[in-house]
Amino acid sequence: MGDPLHRVDKGHFKALFMLGAEDDEMSVENVDAQLHLPDGTRWSATFMTPREIERIMNRWRTTGEEGGGAYFQCRDLVVVPSGGVTAMVSAFEAILDSGGPEGYLQLLGTQSG
């Protein structure tokens, strides 16, 4: 695959998706991302589809992690209905339209300059 850092510039925000070696930007269902705003704030999100959450919990039932799959927890989780960076960018846009990212995403810090 190409560059593991997939960047999207929407003008009013920039997004950085940290793709794994096997991830395809068109179909990825589990990816960490950062939202960069013009005020210099950076916010984190872990995007997953319901199918990916189910796959992970099923694996945990056999590995014993997280109480044998009894629960799933992720501090900056954003669930999207389908995979792909395009769906995740749409989620970032909807979060901003809803008054976020504060209250929706985890603040990473502020960049100056």
Side-chain angles (χ1 to χ4, degrees), residues 4 6 10 62 76 91 97-98 103:
H6 182 82
K10 295 299 283 184
T62 60
D76 61 354
D97 288 347
S98 296

Side-chain angles (χ1 to χ4, degrees), residues 7-88:
R7 296 164 180 84
V8 176
D9 187 342
K10 295 299 283 184
H12 59 292
F13 72 85
K14 293 179 182 177
L16 176 67
F17 296 88
M18 288 144 264
L19 301 174
E22 301 298 317
D23 290 338
D24 177 350
E25 71 179 77
M26 302 300 288
S27 61
V28 63
E29 294 189 41
N30 179 352
V31 68
D32 291 323
Q34 291 183 10
L35 174 69
H36 296 230
L37 297 179
D39 67 1
T41 56
R42 296 178 303 113
W43 303 82
S44 71
T46 299
F47 286 103
M48 290 189 183
T49 63
R51 183 172 78 168
E52 177 65 5
I53 293 169
E54 180 180 31
R55 186 190 69 77
I56 290 168
M57 292 182 76
N58 286 339
R59 184 182 74 224
W60 289 347
R61 283 187 190 91
T62 60
T63 65
E65 296 170 77
E66 309 301 345
Y71 66 93
F72 184 93
Q73 186 277 327
C74 180
R75 180 170 52 178
D76 61 354
L77 181 63
V78 177
V79 178
V80 290
S82 61
V85 168
T86 300
M88 297 165 190

